[in-house]
Amino acid sequence: MKYNPRLDGLRGIAVLLVIFTHFLIPGFNGGSIGVDIFFVLSGYLITQVLMQKNGSLGEFYWRRFLRLFPAMAIVCLALLAFGSLIFDADQIGKDLIYGTLYVSNWTRMLPPGDPKYLGHFWSTAVEEQFYLIWPIFFILLANIRRPLAWVALFTVILTSICWRIYLINNDTPVVRIYNGLDTRADELLIGCALAFLSSSQVIFEKFRRACLAAYPIAAIFIMGVTYFGSNGASWLTSYGHTLVSLAAAILICAALGTDDTYLKRALEWAPLVKTGKISYGLYLWHYPIAFGFLIVLKVPIALAAPIGIGLSFVAAKISFKLVEQPLLKYKHEIDPKRAARLGTTTVFLSILGMTLGMSYYWKPEISYFFDDTPMTIEAYGPHQLGLTEKFNVQPDGNSAFWFQTSRFVPRDTRVLINEIEQPEPYFNGKGLVLVGPKIPERGRLVIRLVDSTGRARSNSVYLEVK
């Protein structure tokens, strides 16, 4: 496709919104919506590539792999090499498994919330899963009549929106809704719909003219959400992300023309365009720097933002020059037939990797299913305390209660104290930690581990509260 610097300018805005939010810059409470802008852009650009019919699906997947995975692998290697010296090595291992196998969006929404230092890889996982599914769906749409294709596309978009609203109205945890491919698909598909619309030049030009008139409202809306919004707010989670995505689609459409507008001049501002060109590297590097090294090294908050953002730009620039840019040239020079074979292999390995990644995550459940050896609680604490004691258990619930078991604990395990279900525990292999238990009374309390149906999963233990 013909290069459009304004789209890089929009990428620059999107990545800066995310970075400023993670580095706690005032006024960017809702800056996580930069991911929404990325999703719409990705849907639009990927569909444009598919519409050109330039090469096979195998080539498409191979080019996607070269664009995304090598830069990610460099971040993972750096975390493995340097992070292992100061971080929890076991945690880094889990982060690398879930991140590189593109399943971190699903593992992040479930206890214990991995990955930690690569938590932002949830969005790359969403996109990778979408890239595996969308080209097949696109081929189906391309081979049916245009009105039916539009009906099918909008049906899927509305289904994703309605499903998300249904989940949030049924008290589904926000972390589940925020990270799921099924609950974020509408944002990517809005970008896809914009690309579909561009195939009809007459209709698209009329739509673009309307977007040129509406883009100031869209820009003000995005700025308002950035300033007043909050990640996890119910309105943003249920329908707000869709509204942001529609606003992003308006900005993209308005930026596609060559009209001499304020938007054109703003998005073609050289520093913004340069930021957009390295936006992928910026996104990859800033998170482990912000939530890993700077926190562990106890950098003061006043210095964390300038140091962290500066380091992120340096790392992203190096990555772009040494990794991304050479591969961008290489991916267009490789023999198409070889690229198709490599792409097919990549798809197979991606699906296998996702399967293995989720199997590793569900390892306790899988092992529990095949092994009927009874689980026993081998150690736990505390055993006894006064009601007003502040060690481990407090009457206000700000406390911790730990269990060590004889085998891996399935993640559907729940804790009952005198038959009162406790907050969801944190799992750690052959054990779990219950934070904020509800202590109902004095005396001898019976503590049980049960499955999701209430059936006993282990022996009972006791806590004496004086």
Side-chain angles (χ1 to χ4, degrees), residues 191-450:
C192 299
L194 181 62
F196 258 115
L197 188 63
S198 68
S199 64
S200 178
Q201 293 184 357
V202 175
I203 298 176
F204 185 72
E205 185 59 25
K206 292 180 179 179
F207 182 72
R208 196 181 67 80
R209 291 290 176 184
C211 289
L212 279 172
Y215 85 77
I217 298 174
I220 291 171
F221 175 73
I222 288 176
M223 288 188 288
V225 176
T226 299
Y227 185 82
F228 294 105
S230 177
N231 188 25
S234 60
W235 75 271
L236 187 59
T237 303
S238 57
Y239 60 85
H241 289 297
T242 301
L243 295 179
V244 171
S245 299
L246 291 172
I250 291 172
L251 291 177
I252 293 169
C253 188
L256 291 175
T258 57
D259 312 71
D260 187 15
T261 63
Y262 291 110
L263 179 66
K264 177 178 181 293
R265 279 173 276 177
L267 294 181
E268 288 185 353
W269 186 45
L272 202 56
V273 173
K274 291 179 180 179
T275 300
K277 286 183 177 180
I278 63 171
S279 59
Y280 182 55
L282 277 172
Y283 184 77
L284 293 178
W285 282 99
H286 87 280
Y287 195 95
I289 290 175
F291 293 96
F293 291 98
L294 296 182
I295 290 178
V296 171
L297 297 177
K298 298 180 179 179
V299 176
I301 294 178
L303 298 176
I307 292 175
I309 294 174
L311 288 174
S312 301
F313 267 89
V314 170
K317 189 67 174 178
I318 294 173
S319 172
F320 183 75
K321 287 291 185 182
L322 299 183
V323 180
E324 297 172 62
Q325 206 169 38
L327 288 174
L328 284 172
K329 291 180 62 178
Y330 167 73
K331 76 177 185 178
H332 293 293
E333 296 172 355
I334 189 172
D335 176 67
K337 291 184 179 180
R338 186 184 177 204
R341 291 194 299 270
L342 291 170
T344 303
T345 303
T346 299
V347 171
F348 171 77
L349 292 177
S350 295
I351 295 173
L352 178 62
M354 290 177 187
T355 303
L356 292 176
M358 289 310 297
S359 297
Y360 180 81
Y361 178 81
W362 291 113
K363 182 170 63 174
E365 283 73 14
I366 295 172
S367 65
Y368 196 86
F369 179 80
F370 288 104
D371 182 3
D372 59 358
T373 304
M375 176 190 294
T376 58
I377 298 175
E378 297 181 337
Y380 67 98
H383 292 78
Q384 187 181 61
L385 71 163
L387 187 61
T388 59
E389 283 186 49
K390 294 186 178 182
F391 173 73
N392 273 337
V393 179
Q394 301 177 38
D396 62 3
N398 294 322
S399 51
F401 197 98
W402 59 270
F403 302 87
Q404 187 68 37
T405 59
S406 59
R407 52 182 297 181
F408 281 103
V409 183
R411 290 183 178 84
D412 67 339
T413 300
R414 296 294 176 264
V415 181
L416 300 181
I417 298 182
N418 278 15
E419 301 307 309
I420 296 177
E421 185 168 346
Q422 301 299 307
E424 190 169 31
Y426 292 90
F427 299 90
N428 183 24
K430 293 183 178 180
L432 55 85
V433 176
L434 178 65
V435 177
K438 304 169 187 175
I439 304 301
E441 57 195 53
R442 286 182 172 88
R444 195 185 200 198
L445 308 182
V446 180
I447 304 169
R448 297 198 302 133
L449 302 186
V450 300

Side-chain angles (χ1 to χ4, degrees), residues 69 90 226:
F69 189 80
D90 290 339
T226 299

Side-chain angles (χ1 to χ4, degrees), residues 29-101:
N29 296 329
S32 61
I33 62 170
V35 175
D36 301 352
I37 300 174
F38 271 124
F39 281 164
V40 180
L41 265 170
S42 293
Y44 171 77
L45 293 171
I46 289 305
T47 306
Q48 284 285 2
V49 170
L50 293 170
M51 288 172 63
Q52 292 180 11
K53 299 180 180 178
N54 183 19
S56 64
L57 275 183
E59 287 182 76
F60 166 81
Y61 286 122
W62 179 242
R63 289 172 178 173
R64 284 290 86 202
F65 173 81
L66 290 177
R67 176 69 186 95
L68 300 176
F69 189 80
M72 176 192 289
I74 296 299
V75 175
C76 292
L77 288 174
L79 181 62
L80 185 63
F82 299 105
S84 299
L85 301 176
I86 54 177
F87 300 148
D88 180 355
D90 290 339
Q91 183 62 57
I92 289 178
K94 293 178 182 178
D95 282 21
L96 296 181
I97 290 172
Y98 301 141
T100 57
L101 297 181

Side-chain angles (χ1 to χ4, degrees), residues 51-214:
M51 288 172 63
Q52 292 180 11
K53 299 180 180 178
N54 183 19
S56 64
L57 275 183
E59 287 182 76
F60 166 81
Y61 286 122
W62 179 242
R63 289 172 178 173
R64 284 290 86 202
F65 173 81
L66 290 177
R67 176 69 186 95
L68 300 176
F69 189 80
M72 176 192 289
I74 296 299
V75 175
C76 292
L77 288 174
L79 181 62
L80 185 63
F82 299 105
S84 299
L85 301 176
I86 54 177
F87 300 148
D88 180 355
D90 290 339
Q91 183 62 57
I92 289 178
K94 293 178 182 178
D95 282 21
L96 296 181
I97 290 172
Y98 301 141
T100 57
L101 297 181
Y102 292 106
V103 294
S104 54
N105 62 320
W106 299 113
T107 60
R108 191 169 180 250
M109 69 178 68
L110 300 165
D114 291 328
K116 298 291 192 302
Y117 306 116
L118 298 175
H120 62 319
F121 277 17
W122 76 269
S123 64
T124 62
V126 167
E127 292 204 4
E128 178 68 14
Q129 293 157 21
F130 182 78
Y131 293 155
L132 290 175
I133 299 171
W134 171 243
I136 300 171
F137 190 58
F138 170 83
I139 292 173
L140 295 175
L141 293 180
N143 285 281
I144 61 177
R145 295 175 58 187
R146 185 55 59 92
L148 290 177
W150 277 110
V151 170
L153 183 56
F154 279 116
T155 298
V156 178
I157 292 174
L158 289 174
T159 299
S160 178
I161 296 170
C162 293
W163 174 239
R164 187 169 63 239
I165 294 174
Y166 169 80
L167 289 177
I168 198 167
N169 287 335
N170 284 272
D171 300 322
T172 303
V174 170
V175 69
R176 157 68 180 95
I177 302 169
Y178 188 84
N179 290 279
L181 170 63
D182 54 335
T183 50
R184 303 300 289 262
D186 60 303
E187 301 169 44
L188 289 147
L189 290 170
I190 285 172
C192 299
L194 181 62
F196 258 115
L197 188 63
S198 68
S199 64
S200 178
Q201 293 184 357
V202 175
I203 298 176
F204 185 72
E205 185 59 25
K206 292 180 179 179
F207 182 72
R208 196 181 67 80
R209 291 290 176 184
C211 289
L212 279 172

Side-chain angles (χ1 to χ4, degrees), residues 1-20:
M1 291 182 294
K2 184 179 179 181
Y3 174 67
N4 188 332
R6 295 180 289 284
L7 296 185
D8 264 337
L10 201 54
R11 280 194 190 96
I13 291 173
V15 75
L16 289 176
L17 289 179
V18 175
I19 290 175
F20 290 168

